[in-house]
Amino acid sequence: MTVTAPPQVVNLPLKQRPMDIVFLVVFSLFIVTCIISDSVEGLGLDQVADSPNVLVQWNYWYASNFDPLYQSHPLWLRFISGTSAFVYVVFYVLLIISIVRGWNGIQLPSVIYATMIIALTGIPIFGVEFFGGPGEATPNIPVFLAFNLPYIVFPLLLLIRMRKPLPFTRRW
């Protein structure tokens, strides 16, 4: 009786996985926005125009023009933003490394992340932004969507990408 080794799993090179290259760019940008935006809200920094902190100034510009909810600091939003700034950002770094190196083990964390961000972030924030009262709802839905829709669309695409085992062995 001959014992044979199990077949070796071969990942496609990154250049043959174009959507993964898009994910690299987008999730790298998400790291930047976690630092610029989510950390300000997560830390509960008051968004005022004359702050000496440039990140606060940038957030003030956005919130005062397009997103009054973000400027009002509800505690639940601070928790959501803090999770993004200090938990999701770690996931983004691991995801980027995994995509580059072809670590298929990122599949389950990706599914967990995508589900969390869509259900625990997207639904409450978008719900309040669209249906909230004065001081909560966005006065400009197209601009709000331009800034925020990628945070729902790309996790959803990642969830679809990670739907089957060994995601880096196939193009999509």
Side-chain angles (χ1 to χ4, degrees):
M1 180 168 148
T2 307
V3 176
T4 59
Q8 186 72 344
V9 173
V10 179
N11 290 331
L12 294 175
L14 181 59
K15 64 184 175 187
Q16 292 180 16
R17 298 181 277 130
M19 190 61 191
D20 289 345
I21 295 169
V22 172
F23 285 143
L24 285 176
V25 172
V26 169
F27 287 104
S28 294
L29 290 172
F30 283 8
I31 291 171
V32 174
T33 62
C34 281
I35 294 166
I36 291 174
S37 182
D38 293 335
S39 63
V40 169
E41 180 63 23
L43 293 171
L45 302 177
D46 285 329
Q47 298 169 34
V48 293
D50 59 353
S51 172
N53 184 326
V54 69
L55 299 180
V56 171
Q57 292 173 14
W58 291 345
N59 282 286
Y60 171 79
W61 170 83
Y62 167 74
S64 64
N65 287 296
F66 309 111
D67 198 340
L69 172 65
Y70 191 71
Q71 200 169 29
S72 69
H73 293 303
L75 184 59
W76 64 268
L77 184 58
R78 286 188 56 203
F79 276 103
I80 288 173
S81 296
T83 301
S84 180
F86 305 111
V87 177
Y88 294 159
V89 73
V90 174
F91 169 76
Y92 298 149
V93 171
L94 292 174
L95 177 65
I96 289 166
I97 293 167
S98 297
I99 289 171
V100 169
R101 299 220 174 164
W103 292 344
N104 288 297
I106 198 68
Q107 180 187 20
L108 180 59
S110 295
V111 169
I112 293 168
Y113 153 78
T115 304
M116 284 180 60
I117 202 159
I118 292 166
L120 300 178
T121 303
I123 293 172
I125 291 175
F126 279 63
V128 173
E129 292 286 355
F130 294 158
F131 306 110
E136 294 179 329
T138 179
N140 192 323
I141 289 175
V143 172
F144 171 80
L145 289 174
F147 274 94
N148 292 283
L149 197 57
Y151 298 97
I152 300 301
V153 170
F154 284 97
L156 181 59
L157 290 172
L158 182 65
L159 185 61
I160 294 167
R161 171 77 172 103
M162 298 293 172
R163 72 195 180 280
K164 296 179 186 174
L166 305 172
F168 302 125
T169 62
R170 59 183 191 281
R171 291 176 55 87
W172 179 247

